[in-house]
Amino acid sequence: MKRKMPNAEHRTPIIEWTNIDGRVTEDPPRYAGSKKEDSTPNAQRPTSNAQRKPHFTLEERLLEFSARIIRLVDALPNTRAANHLAGQLLRSGTSSYGHGEVEAAESRKDFIHKLKICLKELKETRRWLRLVKKAAMLPALKMAPILHETEELIMIFFVSIRTAEKNAK
């Protein structure tokens, strides 16, 4: 008899993540401000709004990242190990969306502290994602975009912290 895990009893299928074969299919989101886009000469840049890539604020980017984590967790197999990783990923991968709290910081020191918490959670998310990839719970090719986005967010927060600490002096 297979034992049911509490967080797996009410799974909701996410159509964006699974296709008919049951494989994970996710297209990586594209963000404005990438190096490729910035190096494009003005004459070659798209002129109409329909041709431009959407511009994401950091808050929107973190919201999209958290939504992607949720979809990834729902795509994990229903096993004891996957359910454990799902819980860890949900906690760490969605907590960085609390970045909005950073804007409500009461002081520069509080601001830096909240940025550091977001960075810590993103680094933890990276570790759990790497474990999911290493355990082959999802195809490695489908893990690459979310791991790449995690790395980019880590770099953004790292630089933000360094800048905030430099400006605090």
Side-chain angles (χ1 to χ4, degrees):
M1 181 173 135
K2 191 170 183 177
R3 185 177 147 209
K4 284 188 174 185
M5 301 304 292
N7 66 344
E9 289 178 9
H10 303 293
R11 285 202 181 249
T12 305
I14 303 297
I15 296 169
E16 298 91 66
W17 268 85
T18 57
N19 63 17
I20 296 171
D21 299 340
R23 294 187 194 141
V24 176
T25 56
E26 181 193 20
D27 294 329
R30 302 193 188 276
Y31 300 103
S34 68
K35 290 181 182 176
K36 284 184 182 177
E37 184 179 303
D38 290 345
S39 63
T40 307
N42 286 337
Q44 295 176 358
R45 288 192 181 178
T47 54
S48 73
N49 285 339
Q51 293 174 319
R52 288 190 183 136
K53 293 178 183 175
H55 176 72
F56 284 86
T57 64
L58 184 55
E59 184 175 354
E60 289 167 338
R61 195 165 172 175
L62 288 169
L63 175 63
E64 176 62 25
F65 178 76
S66 295
R68 290 174 72 193
I69 291 291
I70 291 168
R71 291 190 301 268
L72 180 141
V73 164
D74 281 344
L76 288 172
N78 188 11
T79 64
R80 284 182 72 178
N83 287 328
H84 172 72
L85 293 177
Q88 297 291 343
L89 266 171
L90 272 175
R91 281 185 286 283
S92 65
T94 58
S95 67
S96 61
Y97 180 61
H99 167 68
E101 241 184 88
V102 172
E103 295 167 353
E106 296 173 9
S107 66
R108 170 94 45 176
K109 186 176 178 181
D110 188 36
F111 176 77
I112 294 168
H113 175 71
K114 289 177 187 228
L115 283 175
K116 285 181 177 181
I117 290 171
C118 288
L119 177 62
K120 178 183 85 71
E121 294 296 337
L122 286 166
K123 285 181 175 182
E124 181 180 346
T125 301
R126 177 179 58 190
R127 285 190 298 273
W128 293 120
L129 288 170
R130 289 181 66 211
L131 182 55
V132 168
K133 181 181 174 186
K134 185 73 170 177
M137 292 180 173
L138 294 174
L141 286 175
K142 302 303 177 184
M143 294 296 300
I146 191 85
L147 279 163
H148 179 73
E149 178 66 2
T150 306
E151 291 298 330
E152 286 190 3
L153 288 169
I154 287 170
M155 286 187 282
I156 289 168
F157 276 90
F158 178 79
V159 170
S160 297
I161 291 166
R162 190 171 53 186
T163 302
E165 288 175 335
K166 180 181 161 188
N167 292 339
K169 293 178 182 178

